[in-house]
Amino acid sequence: MDRRTVHIVDDDQDVADSLALLVHSMGHDPVVWYDPQDFLTQVTLGEADMVLLDIRMPVLSGWDVMRALRARGYQNDIVYMTGHGSEAYLHQGEIAARANILPKPFSSVDLRAAITG
Amino acid sequence: MPSWPQLCWPHRRAAPMFRRREMDTIGFAALPPGQSGDAPDVGFINRLPPDSLTAQFASHVRNLQVGARRERDEMRRALDSIGIGFWDWDIPSLQVWYSSHVRELLGYEAGDPVWQSNIFRGLVHPEDLPRTEAEQNGVLYDGKDDYRAEFRIRHKNGRWVWIEAIGRAVVRAEDGTTLRMAGMFTGIDQRKQEQADAAFTTDLWRAMLREKDPEEIKRIAVRALGTYLGVDRISYARLSEDGDSLIFDQNWTGSDVPAFTGNWQSSIFRTATKLFLEGGEVVVRDVGTDSRMDVPGVRERFEQLRSAAIIAIPLVRDGAVKAIFVVTHSTPRNWQDHEVALVRRVASRLWDSVLRARAEEASRSDKALLELASTMSKIGARQRNLTTGEITTSDNFYNVIGHPDAVDMSAEEYLAHVHPEDRETLRRDFMRPMRERGDGVFTGEHRIITADEQIRHIALMAQYHVPRSEPGERHAYSIAIMQDVTEQRERDLAAKEAQLKLLKHSRLSAMGMMASTLAHELNQPLTVAANYLALLEALSDSAGFDRNHLKTYTQRATDKVLEAGEIIRRIRSFTVDGSVKTAPLLLRDLVYRALSALFGSMGTREMSIINAVPRKMRVQVDAVMIENTIINIVRNAVEALAGRPGAQIRISARTDGHMAALRIADNGPGMTDEIAANVFSPFVTAKANGNGLGLPLCRTMVEANGGKLTLESHGADGTAFCICLPLADTPDTEVGED
């Protein structure tokens, strides 16, 4: 299994921290971002890097972040996390067909599948 | 047409020629003693007032009867000079002698060949001739002493002159045939004109009385008068509100002259207007020469409108001119006095009629309005004499109670139509206030079954009344005012249903909103718990199994599961049955407990938090809901302030009517207008760090407590929320703990 760098973007620090531990236990390298603004201004994504992105965040939503990344030409895998399933459907047209949506809470099996694609 | 001599004075008796000759020879001297000596009976002439012209004249006639031919001629000369229209007719010779006054009356000279009775007869108006001759024949043949007739005679200039003739037989033959008549002509044109004017006005008044519409009355009057007088134009103008101009709004024209129209307001017209308004009655016979027209523009104005002769009558009300009535003619006209008088009479009567019609119109419209109002508001009235049982109802009464065909419905009959459930109550209560207090008023509502078997709600107000002028039971009566209030009742019912529906709906939507908020708020801690549990699972397989990690991760997962449980518990009472359990609580305590809960779980931060809520202020609220609302808002503030120097949260409260206004203000960065606008919208919550309830849920809960949650300010000075809560009615009641 390839070791990947996984950027976790979630303003809920408890969620982000626990997720980082889990991702790490799965043999990947988690990078935690509590503020999507910081993530966008500071991150440099490697080709194999992927993003675990929370959808509902203040100021910048997951969708805003996704659009900014695409605008910069990043084609990395993005896994969207949502606490409310219907949110994903609202933006179905915008996200790639192969995009992964993880409804919270999710099992480790689903998370592993999302990371390894 | 037969020639005159054959037709002249048709004799009913045979009139042989010899008799005529005989008369000629007899002459006046041959009068029988009985007819010439004593003072004769002069019939009606004697019955006239002694000072009248006719009575004076009577003595001359007497003299003629007795005088000789010479005397007669002297008498004629005398009569000729005193200006009386005297005539003396020698019947057999057809010769009539007229005094000069008659000649003046008819415009003839002494030499004109009209002084024979047969020729004179030809001058009488054909319509008047038979009647006149019938009168005359009474004296000529039937032995009557005198006659009187009114007829028209053609003046030498062609026009007709009205004459009143009185005549008397002065010489009779032995067989009674009249040989000579004498009498008097009086010109009665003026009297005839007055009679005609009177007949005209009588007809006109009648026509005007029949008409109700003021405009139509004006039309009738100007048309009739114009035609009668033979003038070119009659106009009616009212004075403008400012009193400075005349507005012509009614015109009749008898020829092609232009009408007086519009508003006589310009400077030129004003001069003309002034003439009308200040001069009282204006009678102008010839605009071209009248000195009153010597004002620049005025004569030109009237000439331009082809008005050469004018009669203007001001119409006055309350001492001020309100309108004028103007008669004009296109050629100069020597207005006769009777014409001016007639115009004045018509104008004044028209004015009276217009004012009366207006008053009637106003009163009619008032009455119509009243009827409309009682119909629209579905009010009917009924009065009943309590002794005689006599009933009077308003027009609308039976329509109101839904029995439009009923007549004289008695109280018992009425009760029979009342809804069975209301009948006994009405019967029992209706008379009670009247019996108890004498002049009591009953008010109530009952249902009535209408003729078409519908149910109608009737509001009833009834009063027992004894006329002050006639005290005593005998004259007492009851008045009942009834109003159909069915629509109001149905509306009330519908409103109540709608309210219930709305309540249900709002609770459903509140629950729906909470459900979506809850889903998110619950999923957060559950996600964290699931992550730790998954981590534990993974660690249990690994070689380097650290018991400390086990304990830490288990603890965190448990905390998050409990947190989720807490969220559910906090809103349970609201979501399960929608009920809110309120108690009178000290607001300061609620704030204190919220702050303790908050900082007990989050630890201390570098900021000052001030609880400035007054100690004795009590609110009637659900403790769990309001505590959680406070926690949520304070937590948001704390997060907004994190890391800022001099950070401060100030919580204060004041009373505002029956409400307590709790204010939670921070000196943080505030928020953008967009966020502020959506701060209470679901899915757009300014996300807290952890497990709090969202602001939409806070608002729902505050509102469930009868309060209001608002964002008071969000500028650069910080954010302030206001939680308005109902004050407790009994501030001293002990706080009941949950």
Side-chain angles (χ1 to χ4, degrees):
Chain A
M1 194 195 333
D2 296 338
R3 192 177 184 90
R4 300 184 80 174
T5 298
V6 180
H7 297 267
I8 299 166
V9 185
D10 196 325
D11 64 315
D12 189 324
Q13 294 184 16
D14 287 343
V15 174
D17 290 350
S18 61
L19 206 50
L21 287 169
L22 197 56
V23 166
H24 179 72
S25 76
M26 291 174 181
H28 302 286
D29 297 325
V31 181
V32 173
W33 306 86
Y34 299 142
D35 185 341
Q37 201 82 50
D38 291 348
F39 168 68
L40 284 177
T41 53
Q42 294 167 25
V43 77
T44 310
L45 291 178
E47 216 168 290
D49 290 1
M50 67 166 300
V51 183
L52 268 180
L53 185 58
D54 186 30
I55 289 175
R56 192 196 297 204
M57 291 180 293
V59 188
L60 278 178
S61 74
W63 308 120
D64 296 329
V65 173
M66 176 271 285
R67 275 182 227 118
L69 291 179
R70 299 297 183 228
R72 288 185 208 173
Y74 286 124
Q75 296 298 322
N76 300 65
D77 293 337
I78 300 177
V79 175
Y80 302 92
M81 298 182 292
T82 170
H84 202 274
S86 62
E87 281 176 342
Y89 294 101
L90 294 174
H91 296 269
Q92 217 167 19
E94 283 190 78
I95 54 182
R98 61 193 184 95
N100 260 311
I101 294 177
L102 275 182
K104 289 178 184 175
F106 40 81
S107 70
S108 57
V109 178
D110 291 339
L111 180 63
R112 191 188 305 275
I115 293 172
T116 54
Chain B
M1 192 174 174
S3 62
W4 161 252
Q6 280 75 38
L7 282 176
C8 177
W9 313 121
H11 294 210
R12 282 190 318 180
R13 301 176 196 173
M17 288 304 288
F18 73 90
R19 191 182 284 266
R20 253 191 187 176
R21 279 194 303 272
E22 186 186 15
M23 282 189 282
D24 277 341
T25 53
I26 292 168
F28 283 97
L31 275 176
Q35 290 186 323
S36 59
D38 304 324
D41 175 17
V42 290
F44 78 97
I45 291 172
N46 282 348
R47 294 188 291 275
L48 292 168
D51 57 343
S52 75
L53 194 60
T54 316
Q56 291 171 27
F57 170 69
S59 62
H60 296 300
V61 173
R62 214 169 286 130
N63 289 336
L64 278 173
Q65 282 177 311
V66 297
R69 188 177 299 271
R70 185 180 51 83
E71 290 168 354
R72 184 192 69 185
D73 291 344
E74 280 173 5
M75 194 61 66
R76 283 179 174 175
R77 274 195 295 279
L79 288 170
D80 205 25
S81 60
I82 59 171
I84 290 176
F86 183 67
W87 53 269
D88 182 3
W89 178 17
D90 182 44
I91 294 158
S93 71
L94 305 181
Q95 291 301 312
V96 188
W97 176 82
Y98 296 98
S99 71
S100 59
H101 187 70
V102 174
R103 295 196 296 274
E104 284 165 19
L105 201 60
L106 303 178
Y108 290 99
E109 306 296 325
D112 285 329
V114 295
W115 315 119
Q116 286 192 15
S117 59
N118 55 347
I119 299 177
F120 188 82
R121 181 182 180 278
L123 300 177
V124 176
H125 196 289
E127 283 178 16
D128 304 337
L129 192 58
R131 182 167 38 84
T132 307
E133 286 191 340
E135 292 289 332
Q136 228 172 26
N137 288 343
V139 178
L140 282 172
Y141 309 119
D142 295 345
K144 286 177 75 175
D145 288 327
D146 43 53
Y147 82 93
R148 180 185 171 281
E150 289 180 3
F151 51 90
R152 280 162 288 180
I153 295 182
R154 193 177 290 283
H155 191 276
K156 194 180 179 184
N157 69 9
R159 71 181 174 92
W160 294 104
V161 176
W162 272 101
I163 295 283
E164 182 193 38
I166 53 177
R168 174 174 175 75
V170 289
V171 177
R172 278 200 164 112
E174 279 177 20
D175 66 350
T177 307
T178 301
L179 300 175
R180 191 171 158 210
M181 279 175 78
M184 194 170 73
F185 285 165
T186 312
I188 55 166
D189 268 356
Q190 193 187 336
R191 193 204 304 164
K192 278 290 171 190
Q193 190 62 57
E194 282 166 7
Q195 286 171 358
D197 287 357
F200 164 74
T201 52
T202 305
D203 287 349
L204 180 57
W205 299 169
R206 207 169 286 146
M208 283 160 70
L209 269 176
R210 274 197 298 270
E211 189 52 55
K212 297 273 182 271
D213 175 16
E215 292 308 311
E216 188 56 30
I217 290 175
K218 285 187 221 165
R219 259 194 294 281
I220 289 172
V222 297
R223 188 191 307 125
L225 183 64
T227 312
Y228 182 73
L229 289 179
V231 293
D232 289 326
R233 166 177 46 218
I234 298 188
S235 311
Y236 177 97
R238 62 190 160 81
L239 197 64
S240 65
E241 290 294 322
D242 59 12
D244 197 38
S245 57
L246 286 167
I247 298 151
F248 282 89
D249 61 4
Q250 189 60 249
N251 267 280
W252 171 89
T253 53
S255 62
D256 59 352
V257 297
F260 285 176
T261 52
N263 197 338
W264 285 34
Q265 197 175 27
S266 76
S267 58
I268 291 175
F269 300 165
R270 191 178 299 130
T271 317
T273 303
K274 265 187 176 168
L275 179 71
F276 288 139
L277 296 184
E278 290 171 2
E281 276 182 22
V282 177
V283 179
V284 177
R285 293 186 161 79
D286 185 354
V287 164
T289 58
D290 196 294
S291 64
R292 284 168 294 183
M293 297 291 148
D294 296 341
V295 179
V298 174
R299 178 173 287 120
E300 290 76 0
R301 173 64 182 161
F302 284 114
E303 282 173 351
Q304 186 189 343
L305 287 163
R306 290 170 58 195
S307 304
I310 303 168
I311 300 175
I313 309 287
L315 302 173
V316 177
R317 188 188 185 190
D318 300 334
V321 176
K322 300 288 186 192
I324 59 161
F325 188 83
V326 192
V327 176
T328 53
H329 198 61
S330 55
T331 55
R333 181 155 162 162
N334 187 21
W335 298 111
Q336 302 297 302
D337 288 348
H338 82 91
E339 290 174 327
V340 177
L342 184 64
V343 171
R344 189 186 303 133
R345 286 221 304 283
V346 171
S348 135
R349 175 62 73 111
L350 171 63
W351 186 228
D352 287 348
S353 300
V354 166
L355 293 181
R356 195 195 58 239
R358 277 194 203 142
E360 280 173 6
E361 204 171 59
S363 123
R364 262 200 310 279
S365 70
D366 281 355
K367 190 160 180 284
L369 197 65
L370 202 64
E371 276 170 15
L372 183 68
S374 77
T375 307
M376 294 296 285
S377 57
K378 301 183 177 175
I379 288 178
R382 180 179 190 267
Q383 179 180 316
R384 179 168 164 261
N385 184 308
L386 297 179
T387 308
T388 63
E390 190 189 351
I391 289 165
T392 319
T393 58
S394 73
D395 293 350
N396 204 24
F397 177 80
Y398 290 111
N399 289 328
V400 168
I401 63 168
H403 290 270
D405 300 327
V407 183
D408 291 344
M409 188 184 279
S410 71
E412 276 308 314
E413 282 167 338
Y414 184 85
L415 276 170
H417 293 298
V418 171
H419 194 288
E421 289 173 18
D422 298 346
R423 196 177 296 151
E424 286 317 305
T425 318
L426 181 64
R427 191 200 299 278
R428 189 182 63 238
D429 294 345
F430 181 64
M431 290 299 286
R432 186 182 289 163
M434 306 185 191
R435 279 195 216 98
E436 287 172 357
R437 294 215 315 279
D439 59 346
V441 175
F442 170 85
T443 51
E445 209 175 298
H446 57 272
R447 288 164 293 175
I448 192 161
I449 313 291
T450 64
D452 52 0
E453 306 199 328
Q454 302 290 308
I455 290 181
R456 233 175 238 191
H457 292 257
I458 302 287
L460 168 64
M461 195 180 98
Q463 186 167 24
Y464 176 81
H465 192 77
V466 180
R468 209 161 283 176
S469 55
E470 296 172 284
E473 281 292 310
R474 213 158 53 80
H475 300 285
Y477 58 88
S478 65
I479 304 170
I481 307 288
M482 298 184 161
Q483 185 173 20
D484 177 2
V485 291
T486 311
E487 276 175 34
Q488 285 97 308
R489 290 299 154 266
E490 282 172 356
R491 257 206 309 275
D492 290 351
L493 214 67
K496 208 175 272 179
E497 275 173 16
Q499 219 168 15
L500 281 172
K501 223 182 216 171
L502 194 68
L503 200 66
K504 209 167 162 186
H505 178 75
S506 73
R507 189 178 297 156
L508 281 175
S509 72
M511 287 178 70
M513 197 166 74
M514 267 191 300
S516 72
T517 306
L518 265 180
H520 188 265
E521 299 298 343
L522 285 173
N523 283 337
Q524 290 298 100
L526 291 178
T527 303
V528 177
N531 286 349
Y532 281 116
L533 292 173
L535 196 56
L536 286 170
E537 188 191 1
L539 287 178
S540 66
D541 294 337
S542 71
F545 185 76
D546 186 336
R547 294 185 67 85
N548 287 334
H549 283 155
L550 172 68
K551 195 174 180 186
T552 307
Y553 297 160
T554 310
Q555 186 60 47
R556 286 184 187 173
T558 308
D559 283 351
K560 286 295 170 184
V561 171
L562 290 178
E563 193 182 306
E566 175 68 4
I567 293 167
I568 292 167
R569 193 191 68 79
R570 279 172 184 163
I571 59 168
R572 182 187 53 199
S573 63
F574 186 68
T575 52
V576 169
D577 56 6
S579 68
V580 180
K581 294 186 177 65
T582 70
L585 302 169
L586 283 169
L587 185 55
R588 192 181 165 85
D589 284 357
L590 286 172
V591 173
Y592 178 78
R593 281 207 295 267
L595 294 177
S596 307
L598 204 51
F599 295 108
S601 66
M602 290 183 68
T604 53
R605 300 245 180 163
E606 292 294 319
M607 62 183 67
S608 72
I609 297 176
I610 303 162
N611 182 356
V613 176
R615 289 182 189 283
K616 288 187 174 172
M617 192 179 288
R618 278 176 202 270
V619 287
Q620 184 75 31
V621 295
D622 184 309
V624 175
M625 288 185 178
I626 299 308
E627 250 180 67
N628 277 292
T629 301
I630 297 170
I631 288 170
N632 195 74
I633 293 170
V634 172
R635 191 198 334 259
N636 286 346
V638 168
E639 284 167 3
L641 291 171
R644 290 171 72 91
Q648 187 191 75
I649 297 172
R650 183 182 163 81
I651 305 171
S652 59
R654 60 184 171 82
T655 57
D656 182 8
H658 298 294
M659 306 293 279
L662 181 71
R663 191 168 185 272
I664 302 172
D666 66 42
N667 59 353
M671 51 180 94
T672 66
D673 287 345
E674 194 191 344
I675 290 180
N678 292 308
V679 79
F680 293 112
S681 306
F683 308 119
V684 195
T685 50
K687 185 160 177 168
N689 176 20
N691 55 9
L693 299 171
L695 280 173
L697 190 51
C698 288
R699 172 174 266 191
T700 306
M701 291 196 299
V702 169
E703 285 171 358
N705 279 268
K708 234 161 94 176
L709 172 59
T710 51
L711 176 61
E712 204 173 84
S713 60
H714 62 276
D717 294 342
T719 305
F721 282 91
C722 181
I723 309 172
C724 273
L725 298 167
L727 282 167
D729 287 335
T730 52
D732 296 330
T733 309
E734 281 305 310
V735 176
E737 287 295 327
D738 190 10

